[in-house]
Amino acid sequence: GSAFDGQTGVNWQFQDSGYGIARITAYTDNQHVTATVIVDANNGLAQYPAGVVGSGNATKRWQLGAWSTTTEYPASVTFWADRLWWGGKQRLWASVPNDFENLSGDFFGLTQFDNAIWWQVQAEDVNDILWLSGAGAALIIGTPGGEFAGSAITTTDPVGPSNFHTERQTKRRCRSVQPLAVGEKLFYVQRAGRKLLSMGYRLETDSFGSTDLSVLAERMTRAGIIDMAYQAEPYSVIWCVLSSGALLGFTYDSDQDVTGWHRHPIGGTNAVVESVSVIPATDGLGDEVWLIVKRTINGQTKRYIEYISRPWEGADNDGSGGDPQSDAFYIDAGLTYSGAPADTISGLDHLEGETVQILADGAVHPDRVVSSGAITLTSEASVANIGLKCAARMVSNDIEAGGQFGTSQGKAARIYRAAVRFIDTLGGKIGMPDPDDLSRPSTLDDIETRVPDDPMDAAPPIGTRIEDVVFPGDWVREKRVEILADQPLPMTVAAIMPRMHVNDR
C-alpha cells in the first residue's frame, strides 16, 4: 500500500511479502505474550533490527482481522460462481475463483475481476446473514429482515470486486434453517418458523418472489420448523422437524402440480425427532431419510439413529419382480431377523420393556413385550421384522355428494357403503371418525382381505384391489371416512368412492 510521511508530504509506496512471522516465547494471559519477530531472509530466519515496527515500537498502521473472537466468525457458507462464499453479520466474503482458501483483495495493489470480494449488505434495518444459497445467476442471501439477491452488475463481465451488488427481493424474513434447492425453486423457513416458503425467479418483475406453501395446512407447522431435508426418490418429499419433535412431510411435484402435507407420528413412548438428513441409499435406487430420535426406553432417555425404509413394492403387471411379503417393514426402531427357523429372537436390547409388533414370514404375529432383550414367538419363523407400532391414519374432508336441492354440505347424511381402491395393501380398518373430535379413537370395522381360496396356514397376500365394504356410519352432518392401518403391513389408498343417503329436508 502507500502512506504519507506526515512531514514532506511524500507518498511512500510499500511492498512486502504480505506476511510476517513471530515466535511466541512466553505466555502471560490471552491478551499478552512475549514474542520474537522473525522474517524469511537470505534463505534463513533473521531477527528484525531494533527500531523496526514490531520490535517494541508502536504503530497506528494496523487492522483488526475480519474474523476473530472479537469480530465474530461467519455464520454461513456456500459455493457460487466458482467461489467459496462466507456470510457473517451483514458482510460477505468470497474467495478467489477456484482457489477457495485465497482471500486476496488485490494483486500488488491492483484490483482485478479474479480477486476476492468483500461486500457489505446495505439495508435500512439490521440483517445478520443467516444462510446463503446459489440460485442460477444469483446468490440468495437470507436474513431476519428479508431476502436479498447478489449478482453481477453487468453480464458482460464476470462476477468480481467491481462487478457485484445486492438488492432486496422480498421481505418475508427468514429463520436460521438451511434452505433446500428443489427443481427450480428454493425452499426456506419464515422467521417465525410456521411457514415454508418457495422462492423462484419471476420474469414479469425481473426479481425473485416467494410463495407460502403452508397456507392450506397452517396448523401443522405451528410449533415451528427447526430442520429440513429433501428426498428426491422414491417420492419428492421435503421432510421437516418441528420444535415439538414432530416429523412432517411435504410432497412436492411441480410438474404434476402436486403438493400436500402429511404428519408422521413416531412410535414409542415420548418419542421426538431432533434432526433429519437425507443420504443416497447404498443400492443407488433411492434416497434414505435418517433421523435422530429421542425415546424413553425402559424408563431411560435414549437417542437412536434411525432411517425410514423404502416402501414395499409389489410385482409388475406381468407378475415379475416385486418384494417378498416378508420384507414389508412398517414398524419403528425395528430390526429384522433372517436365518434358520427360530421361535426365540434376541438382540432387541434397545427395546427392553417395550411392546412390539411382529411380522413373521409375512404374517402378522401377536404383540410381544421385550424381556432381557428377547421375545418368544408362537411358532418358528425364518424372517421376522420386530419393532414399535406406528399406525397410519387418514381422515377425509367432508364429502360433497350433492342432493336433490343443491349441495349436501351441512345436511344430515348417512354413508351406507364405500368402495375403496387399494394398491399394495393388506389389512386395515375403515369407519367414520368421531364428528366432535377427529383426534379421538373411532370405532372401526376390519377390512376383510382373506378369501376362501387363501390357505389357512399362510398369510393372505398383499395385493391391489377394490374393496367394497358395508359402512358402519350413522346420520351425521359432516360426512367423513376414516381408514386406519394399525398392523405392520403396507397400505396405499388411491380412491374412496362412498355411497350415501342425503336428507334434503
Side-chain angles (χ1 to χ4, degrees), residues 363-409:
V364 177
H365 186 283
D367 294 351
R368 289 289 185 264
V369 176
V370 178
S371 178
S372 299
I375 60 171
T376 300
L377 307 179
T378 57
S379 59
E380 293 183 337
S382 299
V383 178
N385 300 325
I386 306 164
L388 300 171
K389 179 179 180 179
C390 55
R393 176 177 182 249
M394 69 160 289
V395 178
S396 73
N397 289 325
D398 190 359
I399 298 171
E400 171 55 54
Q404 185 177 357
F405 304 106
T407 179
S408 66
Q409 296 295 303

Side-chain angles (χ1 to χ4, degrees), residues 288-409:
E288 291 179 344
V289 181
W290 287 71
L291 309 168
I292 294 180
V293 184
K294 183 174 72 173
R295 300 181 177 278
T296 301
I297 301 293
N298 201 25
Q300 296 182 338
T301 299
K302 304 282 188 179
R303 281 181 172 82
Y304 295 155
I305 298 177
E306 307 176 21
Y307 69 94
I308 301 177
S309 298
R310 68 172 179 83
W312 188 88
E313 295 180 344
D316 295 335
N317 292 333
D318 59 2
S320 63
D323 298 324
Q325 186 159 322
S326 59
D327 284 355
F329 197 95
Y330 290 84
I331 47 181
D332 272 0
L335 293 177
T336 297
Y337 168 80
S338 180
D343 57 7
T344 299
I345 310 296
S346 58
L348 301 172
D349 303 83
H350 70 293
L351 296 177
E352 182 66 27
E354 298 294 313
T355 299
V356 294
Q357 286 192 323
I358 306 156
L359 189 71
D361 290 336
V364 177
H365 186 283
D367 294 351
R368 289 289 185 264
V369 176
V370 178
S371 178
S372 299
I375 60 171
T376 300
L377 307 179
T378 57
S379 59
E380 293 183 337
S382 299
V383 178
N385 300 325
I386 306 164
L388 300 171
K389 179 179 180 179
C390 55
R393 176 177 182 249
M394 69 160 289
V395 178
S396 73
N397 289 325
D398 190 359
I399 298 171
E400 171 55 54
Q404 185 177 357
F405 304 106
T407 179
S408 66
Q409 296 295 303

Side-chain angles (χ1 to χ4, degrees), residues 19 42 71 75 170 199 248 296 308 314 328 346 371 376-377 427 435 449 466 475:
Y19 61 87
N42 300 321
T71 54
T170 62
M199 173 179 282
L248 303 181
T296 301
I308 301 177
S346 58
S371 178
T376 300
L377 307 179
T449 53
I466 294 179
W475 289 89

Side-chain angles (χ1 to χ4, degrees), residues 1 25 30 64 80 97-98 131 152 226 243 292 311 330 347 373 388 411 429 452 458 460 485-486 488 491 499:
T25 58
N30 59 5
L64 187 65
W80 179 70
N98 297 313
W131 50 258
I226 61 172
S243 60
I292 294 180
Y330 290 84
L388 300 171
K411 298 176 182 178
K429 294 181 173 64
D486 59 349
M491 175 184 286
R499 282 166 275 178

Side-chain angles (χ1 to χ4, degrees), residues 145-439:
E147 298 75 62
F148 296 79
S151 61
I153 300 173
T154 172
T155 57
T156 58
D157 293 316
V159 173
S162 60
N163 189 35
F164 180 78
H165 71 142
T166 56
E167 289 187 74
R168 188 196 298 275
Q169 304 297 300
T170 62
K171 205 169 183 179
R172 292 298 188 95
R173 308 180 187 276
C174 305
R175 173 173 276 205
S176 184
V177 176
Q178 187 65 25
L180 303 173
V182 181
E184 300 175 349
K185 302 288 187 178
L186 185 69
F187 291 77
Y188 66 99
V189 182
Q190 194 267 347
R191 186 170 64 182
R194 292 187 170 196
K195 296 177 181 179
L196 178 65
L197 304 172
S198 69
M199 173 179 282
Y201 178 75
R202 295 178 178 176
L203 183 62
E204 62 273 17
T205 60
D206 190 25
S207 64
F208 288 84
S210 296
T211 302
D212 182 6
L213 301 175
S214 306
V215 65
L216 297 180
E218 58 185 13
R219 293 187 178 185
M220 295 178 66
T221 56
R222 281 181 177 176
I225 300 171
I226 61 172
D227 196 14
M228 296 194 304
Y230 174 63
Q231 179 185 26
E233 291 290 342
Y235 307 110
S236 177
V237 179
I238 296 174
W239 295 92
C240 302
V241 176
L242 305 185
S243 60
S244 62
L247 178 66
L248 303 181
F250 178 71
T251 300
Y252 176 81
D253 189 335
S254 60
D255 294 336
Q256 304 299 324
D257 196 23
V258 172
T259 60
W261 287 94
H262 30 97
R263 295 184 177 93
H264 291 263
I266 303 299
T269 304
N270 301 326
V272 297
V273 178
E274 295 183 327
S275 181
V276 61
S277 184
V278 173
I279 62 175
T282 54
D283 58 10
L285 299 179
D287 299 326
E288 291 179 344
V289 181
W290 287 71
L291 309 168
I292 294 180
V293 184
K294 183 174 72 173
R295 300 181 177 278
T296 301
I297 301 293
N298 201 25
Q300 296 182 338
T301 299
K302 304 282 188 179
R303 281 181 172 82
Y304 295 155
I305 298 177
E306 307 176 21
Y307 69 94
I308 301 177
S309 298
R310 68 172 179 83
W312 188 88
E313 295 180 344
D316 295 335
N317 292 333
D318 59 2
S320 63
D323 298 324
Q325 186 159 322
S326 59
D327 284 355
F329 197 95
Y330 290 84
I331 47 181
D332 272 0
L335 293 177
T336 297
Y337 168 80
S338 180
D343 57 7
T344 299
I345 310 296
S346 58
L348 301 172
D349 303 83
H350 70 293
L351 296 177
E352 182 66 27
E354 298 294 313
T355 299
V356 294
Q357 286 192 323
I358 306 156
L359 189 71
D361 290 336
V364 177
H365 186 283
D367 294 351
R368 289 289 185 264
V369 176
V370 178
S371 178
S372 299
I375 60 171
T376 300
L377 307 179
T378 57
S379 59
E380 293 183 337
S382 299
V383 178
N385 300 325
I386 306 164
L388 300 171
K389 179 179 180 179
C390 55
R393 176 177 182 249
M394 69 160 289
V395 178
S396 73
N397 289 325
D398 190 359
I399 298 171
E400 171 55 54
Q404 185 177 357
F405 304 106
T407 179
S408 66
Q409 296 295 303
K411 298 176 182 178
R414 177 182 178 273
I415 303 174
Y416 61 91
R417 206 170 188 90
V420 184
R421 184 184 299 276
F422 290 106
I423 300 175
D424 293 340
T425 297
L426 180 61
K429 294 181 173 64
I430 189 171
M432 180 176 291
D434 189 321
D436 299 321
D437 186 356
L438 297 180
S439 64

